[in-house]
Amino acid sequence: MSSFKALQARANDSGGFEQVIVSRDIAELPAGELLIRVKYSSLNFKDALSASGNKGVTKSFPHTPGIDAAGVVEASSVSEFGVGDEVIVTGYDLGMNTAGGFGQYIRVPAQWAIKRPKGLSLRETMVLGTAGLTAALCVDKLERSGLSPDAGPVLVTGATGGVGSVAVVLLNRLGYQVVAATGKAEQAAYLRQLGAQDVVTRAALEAGIERPLLKEQWAAAVDCVGGEILFNVVKSLRYGASVACCGLTAGTSFSGSVLPFILRGVNLLGVDSVELSLVAKASMWDKLSLQWKVDLDALVTEINIEQLPEYISRILAGQQVGRVLVNLS
């Protein structure tokens, strides 16, 4: 088989962007040591940005997004991987400027791939995907900074999104008191089903932006939204507490102050899952497959490649809840 199905984002005649399902030839894929037949991918906010023509994510079009892929090695020019190996690829340049997981085949450098962790199926790895990896990295960084389940309430912002939903489930699984924050008040029952003990509104987190400090509330936080909400969370951390920052849906900037840092000794921790070393990624995937393995059936919607344009529109409109698994088989 030399041709395969892929979603392609491209400019249209009206000056906007569209997503279409096309037939591509394997020979058109970029150079790389591994040719992988993709079984599953997942839809992330970054994929939706790429698919809608965001030049900050993807520089040239037409392009196939998809920053996540899980599948089977079809051809390998390196000894570390053999034909038939099941592998996962997340981050690096996949789906950004390299044809990504929204195609039935990808060709990538071997240093982007890791073998499927034994405790997870290919499907389970993509239910997690970059979102699950990011959530786990946030929790890991908070625990390395001293967080323990008896410390008090842990806030998760943007909790109905992919990273936020997994963070709620994972923190609850590890015994934390989880408070979920969302702009979707109608999703409170969903968040409680995932394991949130309490739900707060986005409006509550936005209150007091003009003040240099707010009442101490949170023993820690996972922030998936950024913007002014992030710094309001910083201002609400308990003495010595930390927030792990990994998202930007509410903005990339905020009006900050040194006061929370020098009066309360709090920490703002950045979390990146894209350029993280392969060794660190593999270690976290192993953790997610064993002691941190969680049941995510309640938060996943499974779609096929033809449904991607509809769900890309949903995620851009802020209407999507939980994780979107893309079945390319």
Side-chain angles (χ1 to χ4, degrees), residues 145-181:
S145 298
L147 181 65
S148 60
D150 59 357
V154 178
L155 177 71
V156 178
T157 68
T160 61
V163 178
S165 293
V166 178
V168 170
V169 173
L170 179 56
L171 285 163
N172 177 66
R173 156 83 169 73
L174 297 175
Y176 288 93
Q177 178 188 346
V178 187
V179 178

Side-chain angles (χ1 to χ4, degrees), residues 1 3-4 26 29 34-41 69-75 83-89 100-101 103-108 122 328-329:
M1 175 178 170
S3 63
F4 63 94
I26 287 175
L29 290 172
L34 300 180
L35 175 67
I36 298 167
R37 177 163 49 92
V38 180
K39 295 290 194 80
Y40 295 98
S41 183
V72 180
V73 174
E74 293 278 303
V83 173
D85 284 348
E86 294 189 341
V87 295
I88 56 177
V89 184
Q104 292 175 316
Y105 282 84
I106 57 173
R107 188 182 282 122
V108 297
L122 284 178
L328 290 109
S329 296

Side-chain angles (χ1 to χ4, degrees), residues 138 156-159 161-165 167 222-226 230 244-250:
C138 287
V156 178
T157 68
V163 178
S165 293
V222 174
D223 177 70
C224 306
V225 301
L230 168 59
C245 163
C246 64
L248 48 70
T249 57

